[in-house]
Amino acid sequence: EPEVTQTPSHQVTQMGQEVILRCVPISNHLYFYWYRQILGQKVEFLVSFYNNEISEKSEIFDDQFSVERPDGSNFTLKIRSTKLEDSAMYFCASSQQGADNQPQHFGDGTRLSIL
Amino acid sequence: GENVEQHPSTLSVQEGDSAVIKCTYSDSASNYFPWYKQELGKGPQLIIDIRSNVGEKKDQRIAVTLNKTAKHFSLHITETQPEDSAVYFCAALDDKIIFGKGTRLHILP
């Protein structure tokens, strides 16, 4: 069964540095998402992306964050000037069609640790 | 915006018994309700979903019910097995997915 793959599985970064989290969505999917899960808490929506532009974003997704689909397969989340509170699991997801009524398939996440 | 409440936060069930997890949502415009299972070190995996035009859906040992009037939906797992131990998240979707806080399910031998 096709999977969403994320790299790296664990990223350790010094506070203030920039980090790029990478995702390869399922190949025939057109909608892409990033979520965050702080340890022991619920999964929180960050951003959705379709047709090379952001379609929806949460209040968490401020100017520190950006997303990009640099080629036909990768979908990246960039976090600038990382802060301690950015430490979390970051999940990428994709779906064939838009969020309503279409299941989203999640990757296994990148654990981001900010020191 | 949408708000999803999930109960209980922890549930321990004897192997072979049934487990029920309940969720409520606030936005009557929400029309899609997926349930995810998250095992340690893994991402959430979709296990079953239900749309707002359906009241109940079953897939082997797993069933979901939806009461649109009361804005309740529930996950039922029958004949529980050790591999059912995980964290389960309900979610509601209007323009984006809003997750509940999760239920940690322990299946006791």
Side-chain angles (χ1 to χ4, degrees):
Chain A
E1 187 175 323
E3 291 183 338
V4 174
T5 56
Q6 290 186 243
T7 54
S9 56
H10 191 190
Q11 174 76 46
V12 182
T13 301
Q14 288 288 329
M15 186 173 61
Q17 298 296 305
E18 174 181 287
V19 64
I20 297 177
L21 309 182
R22 302 181 191 279
C23 170
V24 178
I26 295 173
S27 61
N28 64 344
H29 285 187
L30 300 176
Y31 292 77
F32 315 113
Y33 312 86
W34 282 102
Y35 292 84
R36 180 182 80 175
Q37 186 179 31
I38 295 170
L39 187 64
Q41 298 187 23
K42 66 178 176 179
V43 178
E44 299 174 289
F45 170 80
L46 292 179
V47 66
S48 58
F49 190 86
Y50 169 71
N51 200 25
N52 282 319
E53 59 183 30
I54 290 172
S55 47
E56 191 82 33
K57 61 181 181 179
S58 72
E59 58 274 12
I60 303 169
F61 194 89
D62 59 20
D63 292 343
Q64 186 192 3
F65 295 87
S66 61
V67 289
E68 191 178 30
R69 189 154 162 79
D71 53 44
S73 59
N74 289 285
F75 178 52
T76 62
L77 174 68
K78 181 188 290 185
I79 309 174
R80 290 178 283 273
S81 301
T82 49
K83 300 174 285 199
L84 294 176
E85 53 265 37
D86 295 327
S87 295
M89 286 290 294
Y90 288 82
F91 293 105
C92 172
S94 68
S95 62
Q96 276 188 318
Q97 297 182 32
D100 57 324
N101 291 304
Q102 288 298 319
Q104 296 182 19
H105 298 266
F106 283 72
D108 284 339
T110 292
R111 180 174 299 282
L112 178 62
S113 299
I114 306 300
L115 305 179
Chain B
E2 177 63 274
N3 182 47
V4 177
E5 298 287 337
Q6 182 171 350
H7 301 279
S9 56
T10 306
L11 178 61
S12 295
V13 173
Q14 210 66 42
E15 183 180 348
D17 288 350
S18 296
V20 180
I21 302 171
K22 298 183 178 183
C23 289
T24 60
Y25 62 101
S26 60
D27 189 348
S28 56
S30 291
N31 56 13
Y32 174 64
F33 305 90
W35 284 88
Y36 288 86
K37 176 183 181 182
Q38 187 177 28
E39 296 175 318
L40 195 62
K42 296 282 191 178
Q45 298 300 308
L46 180 72
I47 55 172
I48 196 166
D49 55 15
I50 190 166
R51 291 166 171 77
S52 57
N53 58 346
V54 174
E56 184 172 354
K57 181 176 177 180
K58 190 172 182 181
D59 182 4
Q60 299 182 1
R61 295 187 296 108
I62 295 174
V64 289
T65 59
L66 171 65
N67 181 330
K68 282 178 59 181
T69 304
K71 301 197 192 78
H72 290 173
F73 57 117
S74 301
L75 177 72
H76 303 251
I77 306 174
T78 58
E79 299 172 25
T80 51
Q81 300 169 3
E83 54 265 36
D84 295 331
S85 293
V87 179
Y88 291 81
F89 292 96
C90 64
L93 193 143
D94 180 9
D95 53 358
K96 55 184 179 287
I97 284 188
I98 303 298
F99 284 82
K101 289 187 176 180
T103 296
R104 185 172 297 278
L105 177 62
H106 300 275
I107 305 302
L108 306 172

